[in-house]
Structures are given as C-alpha cells and as structure tokens.
Amino acid sequence: MTPADRSANAVRDDQRAVRATLQAPLGRLASQQSLHGRSDLIERLWAAVLDTGGDRVHLLHGLSGSGKTAVALTVAGRADAAGLDVWWVRADDALTLQEHMRALGKEVGVSETDSPHSLWKALNARRDDRWLLVIDNADDHEVLAAGTGRLADGCGWVQPCRSGHGTVLVLSRYLDEQAPVGWWRAHPVGRLDRAAGIETLADHVEVDTELDAAGQLVDRLGGLPLALRLAGALLHQARRQALAERRPPPTIADYLADIGARLRLEDPPDSPGVRVYIDRPWSVAIEFLERHAPPLTVPLLRLLAHLGPGPVPVGDILSPAALDRIGLHGEQLLDALDALKAMSLVDDDCRPALHPLVRDTTARRFPPSAADAADLVSLVRHCRTLSDRPDDTPTPEDVNVWPDWLLLTPHAMRVVDLLLDEWPGQPAGVVRDACYAADYVVRSIQARGLYDTADAALARIEALAVRDLGPDDFETLRCRHIRAIVLHARGQIAEAYAAYDEIYRARERLFGADNPETVRSRHYRAMTLHTLGRHDEARAEYEAVLADRVRIAGPDQRHTLATEHNIARLLHDTGRLGEAEVRYRDLLARQSRLMGPDYRHTLATRHNLALCLHAQGRLEAAEHEYRQVLDIELELLGPRHPETLLTRANLLLLQSACGRGDEAALDEVYRQQCEVLGREHHETRATRSRQTNRGTRPGPL
C-alpha cells in the first residue's frame, strides 16, 4: 500500500471515529498486554458492574501513567462482550465533556440533551438494558460539576447512579480529600510491586536471565506501568536493531547503567514525584528514535507535544502535504506514526494523542521555541477543516461539520496561548494566521450557543491580536466583530450596536466600503437597528447592503441571501405579512436548493415563514412548518440551543391558541431560556409576554 493510500485510509478512519463519539476504544485491547498487578481491582470493578446493588459510581485515581485507562478499558471490553451498552466519554475540558454528554443524551433518547438532570433521569430509568459509562481524563472536578455548584451535590454531568442496571467509572489523577464525594467509591491505582513490574517488562523484552537487574529497573522506575512499558519497548527495539547490525544486544543492566548516568541531583531515586520515573527512560528513548526511527519521528513527536491536548486527526491537521509545507518529510508520516506506536507512545495512528505524561515529558525535553511558532500555526491554519471548502470560506455554523471543529478547537487555542504567553514578538503573518484559525473555531462554539465559553476564548485572541498586530489590523477587527456577535446573541443589543458601528467605521476607513468584511459589519449593524425598533434606518441599511452584496458576490451567495432574509423579517415586523410571506417562500426555495434544507439559514427562513402564517391566522399550515423545523433543530442543535427553544415556544403558543395548550411545557421552555439566555434576553421576555398576553402577534427570528 502506498503512503497516499494509507493516508487516505487514515482520513476515512478518522471521519468514522469522529462520528462514533461515544465508542469505547476497544480496538486497543488487541495490542494491550496483560495488566499485571491489577487483577484484584479489575475483578472488583467487574463484580460491581454485575451486581445490581452496592456502589454504582467508581473513581479510579492515581498518577499519570499508572494504568487507569487500561483498567477501565479491560472492564469495558468485558461489558461489551457480555452485551452491555458501553459508552466512553472524554472530560478533557468543559466543551469536550458537554459535547460527549449531549451525544449520550441523543443515544438514550433524551430530548433535553443539554440538561444533566434529564440525562440522568433517563439513565436511571433504564430497565431493559444494562450499561457502563466511562468518563476518561476527568482531572478537573469543576468540569464534572458543570457549573452547578459542588460536585458532591450531585447535580452536574456526573451524578449518583440510582439504577442497578448502570455503572459509572470516572478516571482521574486526583482524589480531592478536601471536598469528598460521598456517592462514589474511590479506588487508588498505585505503583506496581516488584513482581508485577517484572512481568510488565517481560511483556516487551526477555528478562528470565536478568531477573535481579529487572527488579532493580522496576525499583528505579518507581513501579510506574507507563515507564516500564516504555523501557521494555525501547529495549526490545534496541535489541532488534543490534541484531540487524550484528553487534551484542543491550542488556537490562546496560539500560540501568545508562539511565543511572542520567540521574540528576535534584531528582534522587527515592523522589516521590512522577517525573523522576519517566524522564530518564524517556531521554534514552528519544536518543534511540533519533538514531533508528524515520527522520520525521522525533520532529512529529515534538509537534504532538506542543499542540493541544486531545486527538490530532491525520488527514486534517496532520497530512503529508501539511508537513511538507513546514519543511518536514511528509511522505514519512505514517511510518513515523508506526514507529511511535511500536514504542507505545501513541495508541491510534489515525488520531494520535500522546499520554498526558508523555506529552508533558516531551514538552520539557523540547521546550517550545520561537522557531516552532510558524510550524504549529501553519498546521492549524492550513488544516482541512479550515481550507477544504468549495468557496474557500469556512462555515462553522454548519452543524454537519461541528465534530471537525471540536477536534480542531484545543489545537487552535493552544497556539494562541503559546503566542500570547511564551512567544511574544512573532512575525505579523504568523500571528494573523493563528488568530484567523482561532476566530473560526470560536465561531463554531458561539454557533452552538455556548456564549460564555466563546467570549472567554475571544478575550484571549483579542489580547494577542491587539498586542502583536494593533487595534486596526484586519484580524483584530475580525475578532472584535465576533465578540459583538456574542453580545448580540446574549441579547445585549445596545452594546452590540455600538460595537458593530465602531468596527464598521474602522473597516470602511481602513479597507474601503466594498470590502466584504466592511459590508458584513454594516449588515450586522442593520440587524441591531432592526431589533432596537429603528425600522426606517434598518430598511435603508439593509437595502444598501443587499445592493453591495449582489454586486460583489452575486445574488445567490449565502451572505446575500441572509440580507434578503432580514428584509423579509423587516416586512414581517412592520405588518406587511403578505409581502413577507412571498419573500420567505422565494428565499426558502433558493436556500433549500443552494445550501440544503437542513442548513441553519434555511431553517431560520422556514421558522419565520411559520411565524408569518401564524400571524395571519393560518394555524394548521403554521403548525406543520413549526414541527418540521423543530424536528430538524432537535436533531442537529439539541433541545437547549436558543433557536430550538424559540421554535418550541412558538409551537406551544400556537397550540395554546388552538385550545391544546400545555402550560407546564411552556413554563419549562421559559425556565430553560432563563438558564441559557438570561431572564432579560429579548427572546426570553418575548416568551413570557406572549404567554401572559395570548393575543400578541409572534415576531420573526
């Protein structure tokens, strides 16, 4: 198979992996060696899975590299073989955990996939199927609490499991003894004793003739399974290399002498810190890779260590062309990944992710330098997610590619953090590319309705752009524009108008009135004028923007269609319902043909058509349109997305007008709008006002 074929297969495998968000990585079991010294723990956990009583939530805690994930994976493999539903969730950060738990909600048929309460209510109610949920990388317990207070309160993404049919395994480096959690059982995953450590080494390298030296090596490496696997894999590869070169193979004693020579006074052998057990064998491993692995291997390892936490998709961020672009040997990519896999440094050569301990150790061995900046930025900026678009325009609002954006997010933001905190004074082009990639990543976060997360990230990007590029740079103004969109989405309309107006004037002065970004700012400024009720000003602005967009981009470009949509909304808001309906129907047909019926802008038009029919008293037709939109929004956006909540509110109000009201359901929508948008958001207030005054005519989205 050629490198191109293997790379193409890797891309396809990665795409399948993205879709299978909750699938446990059971493929690793085929290459996973026996877990020596962990049998008692595995049997206790398996007994807990089979037992319908007793503790249902279990915390596995221990040093990085102690084998927590391997233990959980072994239990998950047994559960899968026994026919249990097995879900594997990552908790690297709040965004990743939320996306995975939303996917779990859909898996178990929950309509409120953004609500921990609704999810756990459904999980606890399952009676027909037994299940196992593994939550990996749960080092930050505040992430597990999901902003609901203390984790011990049991209101976050991890809660007491009250179903004898379910079991939860939480994997974390930490047990917070200052904030005990009474509803989980903690299991320390400690260091291996000498016998188990020797067996772990023996899985990789012959030890029978060197048992004493093997025992000393176990002691020297602190009984840490990851360090022992690394040492064993390195010795195995070194012996193979020696035999190929017809020289005596290195012994365990040779290896001990080598790492002994690397001891540092500040890290004595009895040091309790984990670094002492990994740094020495790691330095030997790096030298072996430098001598014997494909030339790309160590530079690739260095790149993986300085990108963000989480998988790095091959074929997107990593590809032969991307590596060629930064002067590395792209044709060696898959061979280099194979070399890292042979050394047990990565498990998956389609979405390689370094173990956190390996990542930190590599980053210490190769501290990030200014010379790395352009390479890392290039990988992120020119990845497929950002670059592989028909019109060369990323579309983070497109729900169908949100999994791609989710994978890119930690790496794009990591580059921003490095430039801001460790690499000041980089060339302007490098900083612009980093800001460009991060801005689009944050747009995908904002499009999911995660406004606080988006604004926190934008604050970092803006700080970098202002410092290194200046307040009037193109990328600085792009970032400020997206922050204004977040203000707008939060319902802070006056503040958003002021921001749009300032950005529009700056762009017009710097880039000219016909620049697409200048026109974009004018379009958004018109939207806030519209929302503020300044209809005559909004109409004049919309018409000017539409003329510019038709002239610059053509009548069927998606931004042109967005302006047409807002003109129809303005007709709707000013009572010209017949004209608005004609415009909506024409626009809906064009958007469905050009962008598809499930595209966000198409759904907004169809939603507003339903509102227009509703306002005209054509309730049966309106209800049909509402239901069609709601079904798609529930599937694509989730039930707590602001747009889904608005559609549900309008449908419930229509049903109330028809004598089929459900006050409890409408109260629940209002409560969720208060939580998601805030009590003073204009959409929240509109729901309450129309609930109180049933004759109020609905307005458009």
Side-chain angles (χ1 to χ4, degrees):
M1 182 179 295
T2 68
D5 291 335
R6 295 182 68 192
S7 183
N9 287 342
V11 173
R12 288 191 290 271
D13 289 343
D14 175 57
Q15 291 169 341
R16 287 193 290 270
V18 170
R19 297 187 194 103
T21 306
L22 302 171
Q23 183 176 349
L26 299 178
R28 298 182 192 173
L29 291 172
S31 58
Q32 179 173 289
Q33 304 289 345
S34 300
L35 298 183
H36 305 290
R38 305 297 189 213
S39 298
D40 288 347
L41 174 58
I42 291 170
E43 295 305 325
R44 287 200 306 272
L45 293 172
W46 181 236
V49 171
L50 297 177
D51 186 8
T52 57
D55 299 306
R56 311 303 326 145
V57 183
H58 299 264
L59 172 72
L60 278 62
H61 65 94
L63 289 171
S64 186
S66 59
K68 302 179 294 294
T69 299
V71 168
L73 194 58
T74 301
V75 176
R78 289 189 185 183
D80 181 72
L84 277 70
D85 290 328
V86 178
W87 304 299
W88 194 282
V89 166
R90 295 179 63 94
D92 305 60
D93 52 59
L95 179 60
T96 300
L97 178 61
Q98 175 170 301
E99 290 296 309
H100 281 221
M101 296 305 269
R102 284 182 60 181
L104 177 57
K106 291 182 180 180
E107 181 83 7
V108 300
V110 177
S111 60
E112 304 296 334
T113 56
D114 280 346
S115 166
H117 172 74
S118 298
L119 172 60
W120 280 95
K121 183 178 179 181
L123 288 172
N124 287 325
R126 286 171 68 91
R127 293 291 183 267
D128 297 332
D129 299 307
R130 299 182 63 81
W131 53 270
L132 171 67
L133 171 62
V134 180
I135 303 178
D136 200 1
N137 293 339
D139 295 333
D140 187 344
H141 291 187
E142 290 185 4
V143 168
L144 301 181
T148 61
R150 299 183 311 142
L151 177 61
D153 294 340
C155 299
W157 284 123
V158 181
Q159 298 187 10
C161 179
R162 298 183 173 87
S163 169
H165 289 69
T167 307
V168 183
L169 304 182
V170 181
L171 316 184
S172 178
R173 285 184 289 176
Y174 306 112
L175 172 66
D176 188 351
E177 297 180 349
Q178 302 302 314
V181 176
W183 40 265
W184 67 20
R185 182 178 178 187
H187 304 267
V189 184
R191 298 165 179 165
L192 300 178
D193 61 25
R194 177 178 273 210
I198 291 174
E199 290 179 324
T200 300
L201 279 172
D203 288 334
H204 300 275
V205 68
E206 173 63 44
V207 300
D208 289 345
T209 61
E210 297 184 87
L211 290 177
D212 184 59
Q216 293 180 48
L217 182 58
V218 171
D219 296 341
R220 182 63 59 85
L221 298 182
L224 191 68
L226 177 64
L228 292 167
R229 290 199 303 273
L230 174 62
L234 173 62
L235 271 168
H236 175 71
Q237 294 295 324
R239 287 178 176 180
R240 288 184 58 189
Q241 187 69 31
L243 289 173
E245 297 173 359
R246 297 185 178 182
R247 55 183 174 81
T251 64
I252 296 177
D254 293 333
Y255 185 81
L256 266 171
D258 195 355
I259 64 170
R262 299 165 192 269
L263 281 173
R264 297 174 299 183
L265 293 176
E266 65 270 23
D267 278 337
D270 59 350
S271 168
V274 70
R275 280 181 55 178
V276 68
Y277 303 117
I278 194 73
D279 279 357
R280 300 171 210 139
W282 185 238
S283 62
V284 179
I286 289 292
E287 290 178 8
F288 178 84
L289 290 173
E290 288 174 335
R291 289 196 304 269
H292 303 297
L296 176 63
T297 306
V298 173
L300 177 61
L301 187 63
R302 179 174 181 155
L303 289 172
L304 292 173
H306 292 312
L307 285 167
V312 183
V314 172
D316 190 350
I317 294 177
L318 288 180
S319 68
L323 295 171
D324 285 341
R325 189 180 295 112
I326 60 177
L328 297 177
H329 300 279
E331 75 282 358
Q332 297 176 2
L333 172 59
L334 294 208
D335 291 334
L337 286 170
D338 286 344
L340 294 177
K341 194 172 182 180
M343 294 283 289
S344 300
L345 298 177
V346 298
D347 293 314
D348 188 341
D349 54 7
C350 296
R351 298 169 69 199
L354 297 180
H355 187 285
L357 183 56
V358 172
R359 182 173 178 268
D360 293 345
T361 305
T362 306
R364 285 197 306 274
R365 172 68 183 256
F366 302 110
S369 66
D372 296 318
D375 292 348
L376 292 172
V377 170
S378 177
L379 289 178
V380 171
R381 169 62 182 86
H382 296 287
C383 68
R384 188 190 69 241
T385 298
L386 275 168
S387 302
D388 189 15
R389 304 294 171 196
D391 59 355
D392 199 32
T393 303
T395 52
E397 296 84 5
D398 185 351
V399 179
N400 296 312
V401 293
W402 277 357
D404 294 338
W405 291 105
L406 184 64
L407 283 173
L408 179 59
T409 296
H411 309 300
M413 291 309 303
R414 170 63 174 162
V415 169
V416 168
D417 290 341
L418 286 170
L419 290 174
L420 187 59
D421 298 333
E422 300 187 38
W423 296 332
Q426 292 301 302
V430 170
V431 177
R432 286 194 185 97
D433 279 352
C435 291
Y436 174 90
D439 278 339
Y440 276 103
V441 157
V442 175
R443 274 181 53 188
S444 77
I445 298 173
Q446 178 268 326
R448 290 196 287 271
L450 306 175
Y451 303 137
D452 291 344
T453 303
D455 193 59
L458 286 166
R460 296 283 290 171
I461 302 167
E462 185 176 357
L464 171 64
V466 170
R467 186 194 70 188
D468 289 3
L469 303 175
D472 287 341
D473 188 83
F474 194 90
E475 290 302 330
T476 305
L477 292 171
R478 188 203 302 274
C479 178
R480 292 182 57 205
H481 177 85
I482 301 171
R483 292 197 81 177
I485 293 175
V486 174
L487 286 173
H488 194 165
R490 282 172 161 169
Q492 297 170 255
I493 307 302
E495 295 89 339
Y497 170 78
Y500 289 139
D501 183 63
E502 183 179 348
I503 296 163
Y504 166 67
R505 295 180 187 281
R507 282 175 161 171
E508 184 181 40
R509 171 174 53 85
L510 294 164
F511 313 126
D514 285 349
N515 184 280
E517 295 301 311
T518 304
V519 178
R520 187 193 305 272
S521 292
R522 191 175 187 183
H523 170 88
Y524 276 89
R525 186 179 68 169
M527 289 174 64
T528 53
L529 289 170
H530 184 166
T531 307
L532 291 168
R534 295 161 61 177
H535 292 158
D536 290 341
E537 295 173 79
R539 181 180 293 107
E541 289 292 281
Y542 281 146
E543 295 290 354
V545 170
L546 180 61
D548 285 342
R549 284 184 159 172
V550 169
R551 175 171 50 82
I552 296 168
D556 289 336
Q557 205 269 347
R558 59 191 176 92
H559 297 309
T560 306
L561 298 178
T563 304
E564 286 198 45
H565 172 262
N566 286 345
I567 291 173
R569 285 181 54 231
L570 187 60
L571 291 170
H572 186 163
D573 270 341
T574 52
R576 297 161 65 178
L577 300 179
E579 295 175 69
E581 181 186 348
V582 170
R583 290 232 186 188
Y584 283 143
R585 290 191 183 280
D586 173 70
L587 185 60
L588 182 60
R590 293 160 61 200
Q591 287 176 318
S592 297
R593 173 173 55 85
L594 295 167
M595 297 181 288
D598 295 350
Y599 192 70
R600 293 274 295 283
H601 293 179
T602 310
L603 289 175
T605 300
R606 192 169 189 181
H607 173 271
N608 286 343
L609 173 61
L611 284 168
C612 189
L613 296 169
H614 186 172
Q616 294 177 73
R618 295 155 62 184
L619 302 186
E620 184 176 347
E623 182 170 3
H624 173 76
E625 297 296 336
Y626 281 141
R627 288 188 179 280
Q628 294 296 311
V629 172
L630 183 59
D631 286 347
I632 297 172
E633 288 177 338
L634 285 170
E635 175 65 25
L636 295 183
L637 305 178
R640 280 169 61 91
H641 191 281
E643 292 168 22
T644 310
L645 291 172
L646 184 59
T647 304
R648 287 183 62 202
N650 287 331
L651 175 59
L652 288 167
L653 287 164
L654 180 145
Q655 291 172 337
S656 180
C658 296
R660 294 180 278 118
D662 186 339
E663 291 299 320
L666 193 54
D667 285 342
E668 177 62 17
V669 170
Y670 174 72
R671 182 188 67 78
Q672 291 178 23
Q673 284 181 314
C674 289
E675 291 178 358
V676 174
L677 298 171
R679 193 175 300 274
E680 296 306 313
H681 192 281
H682 61 276
E683 290 175 6
T684 309
R685 288 189 284 106
T687 298
R688 177 55 75 199
S689 174
R690 291 172 54 208
Q691 188 177 17
T692 304
N693 305 295
R694 297 311 171 103
T696 302
R697 187 177 68 198
L701 175 65

